[in-house]
Structure formats: C-alpha cells, structure tokens
Amino acid sequence: MQTTFAIISAILAVIAAVTWHRSATIWVPAPAGVDKGHVPGHGLYDDDSSGRRYDVIETIKAQSRWNRIASISAAGAAVFHGLTLLRFAL
C-alpha cells in the first residue's frame, strides 16, 4: 500500500506541475479585427509582449480553470505523500 500511495502522490505532483505550467502560458486570442482596449458588450483586449492580441477576461477564466486543476492535484499529492509517510512511520 505504501508504494501505491507513493506512486499516486508522484502522478498527482506531475499533473500539478503540468497544469500549473499550462495556467501560466495559456492565452485566449481576441476575435479577428478587434482593436486593443475595451469593446463595449464584447470584452477587454490587449497585446502581449510578442504582439499577440488576446482576450483578457477569457484568458483569466482559462487560467483560473487550469489553476483549479493544479491546486486540487497538488493537494492530492500532499495527502497521499502524507499517508505514505504516516504508513512508513507506523
């Protein structure tokens, strides 16, 4: 059982790392033809450092979804790692 918990912990830790990286790099492109700034009734758009125009609000929502997955995975990894240590200590 200890090995199983350690493997689950490691898998969840990798998932957390990958999804946190995704949350840091995801961006949602703005619809074609919109100008930088706020378009009433449509959203908020900006350019990143490489000149790509993106939808600020939708990008934040996407980052939030990936962060949620990452934090749940990290919490699971911590729980299973803790159970592994407790099992080893007993």
Side-chain angles (χ1 to χ4, degrees):
M1 180 163 303
Q2 179 180 351
T3 303
T4 302
F5 282 2
I7 291 169
I8 292 170
S9 176
I11 290 169
L12 288 171
V14 169
I15 291 170
V18 169
T19 53
W20 258 318
H21 178 267
R22 181 67 177 146
S23 77
T25 58
I26 193 167
W27 62 283
V28 178
V34 298
D35 292 328
K36 183 177 176 179
H38 178 70
V39 178
H42 295 284
L44 180 62
Y45 307 104
D46 200 3
D47 296 336
D48 67 7
S49 60
S50 64
R52 298 179 299 192
R53 183 147 301 144
Y54 67 99
D55 185 323
V56 175
I57 303 300
E58 292 304 315
T59 297
I60 291 170
K61 288 179 183 178
Q63 289 172 337
S64 177
R65 284 189 294 272
W66 284 102
N67 271 318
R68 186 179 326 113
I69 295 167
S71 64
I72 291 169
S73 297
V79 166
F80 279 99
H81 183 68
L83 291 172
T84 301
L85 294 177
L86 285 174
R87 180 77 173 130
F88 181 71
L90 297 177

